[in-house]
Amino acid sequence: MTKHNNVVPNGHFKKHWQNYVKTWFNQPARKTRRRIARQKKAVKIFPCPTAGPLRPLVHGQTLKYNMKVRAGRGFSLEELKAAGIPKKLAPTIGISVDHRRKNRSLESLQANVQRLKTYKAKLVVFPRRARKAKAGDSTPEELATATQVQGQYMPVVLEKPTVELVKITDEMKSFKAYNKLRVERTNERHVGVRQKRAAEAEKEDKK
């Protein structure tokens, strides 16, 4: 017999849990299906890179993420103009365009312009018609050696921060950081009073 003020045992265990179990037996088949779809897409879009158009380097939004560099939506019109690429031509040669984006700093503008120039130098443009080559199309020799880029083209590479090692000197060892902070705080607190005293002393000297 149970003692004290407990809940009366009344367990509901016959819930037919087998009906609510979600299985994932189709995972291996889906993996194969996705791989075949990627291969078909690569053949269909040849000679374009499989990862899609070129993306710019942008900084993340807000104070938490703005130090991180990632791939953005598209190049701004200012960047395309600086690189000498018309905005109507850019999407046709595998460059993504974002007409709403604005450049807030000179550094990011220069980095993306350089990215566009590097891409343009390596670009191989196939003619629309095999027998009719137009201005801007690549030479037959370049077309013969051209290969399709698999995976990310010009991926975002983050620079690893370097640590400079310094030899600890006797002067560093003898330095009292806490005492120095206390002195500087005192100086900051008394700066107004000391300026006032110095001004008064100067007036008395003139008299």
Side-chain angles (χ1 to χ4, degrees):
M1 186 179 171
T2 55
K3 290 186 177 181
H4 312 298
N5 187 20
N6 297 326
V7 178
V8 176
N10 186 20
H12 291 73
F13 297 114
K14 294 181 181 178
K15 290 193 174 72
H16 303 291
W17 59 267
Q18 290 94 336
N19 297 338
Y20 305 105
V21 172
K22 189 172 182 180
T23 59
W24 202 14
F25 299 131
N26 60 349
Q27 186 188 15
R30 278 204 178 166
K31 184 181 178 182
T32 309
R33 194 168 72 195
R34 280 197 298 267
R35 191 182 76 245
I36 292 165
R38 282 196 298 272
Q39 288 169 352
K40 282 182 180 177
K41 186 183 176 184
V43 171
K44 189 180 177 182
I45 65 170
F46 181 86
C48 302
T50 58
L54 184 72
R55 304 284 178 182
L57 300 177
V58 299
H59 285 265
Q61 294 293 301
T62 72
L63 192 66
K64 187 176 180 182
Y65 298 108
N66 65 6
M67 82 292 292
K68 295 193 176 181
V69 179
R70 61 176 181 82
R73 182 186 178 86
F75 290 90
S76 68
L77 301 180
E78 194 179 348
E79 288 164 355
L80 292 168
K81 191 175 181 181
I85 300 168
K87 62 182 179 182
K88 293 280 179 71
L89 175 71
T92 65
I93 57 171
I95 298 170
S96 55
V97 181
D98 186 5
H99 64 89
R100 291 166 295 192
R101 211 177 110 242
K102 293 182 176 66
N103 291 97
R104 306 290 182 191
S105 68
L106 184 65
E107 290 85 351
S108 67
L109 173 68
Q110 288 173 343
N112 281 323
V113 168
Q114 187 57 45
R115 189 172 168 83
L116 283 168
K117 285 180 179 175
T118 307
Y119 176 78
K120 202 176 172 184
K122 295 178 180 180
L123 185 67
V124 176
V125 181
F126 278 68
R128 283 182 181 272
R129 294 181 183 178
R131 294 178 184 177
K132 280 192 175 181
K134 290 186 178 180
D137 293 340
S138 299
T139 59
E141 292 79 23
E142 288 175 330
L143 296 178
T145 57
T147 55
Q148 189 177 32
V149 178
Q150 302 289 331
Q152 283 290 330
Y153 181 68
M154 293 175 69
V156 179
V157 180
L158 301 176
E159 291 182 12
K160 290 186 178 179
T162 55
V163 179
E164 191 179 343
L165 300 174
V166 180
K167 207 167 189 177
I168 298 170
T169 60
D170 293 330
E171 188 184 348
M172 288 178 183
K173 287 179 182 177
S174 62
F175 179 71
K176 300 281 191 291
Y178 181 73
N179 294 355
K180 177 70 174 171
L181 280 170
R182 298 291 295 180
V183 169
E184 290 303 325
R185 278 189 191 139
T186 308
N187 291 342
E188 190 182 8
R189 199 163 61 246
H190 293 117
V191 67
V193 177
R194 285 172 182 171
Q195 283 177 352
K196 190 179 177 184
R197 281 181 191 165
E200 286 173 358
E202 199 176 331
K203 278 183 183 178
E204 286 179 11
D205 289 344
K206 284 181 181 178
K207 287 178 184 179

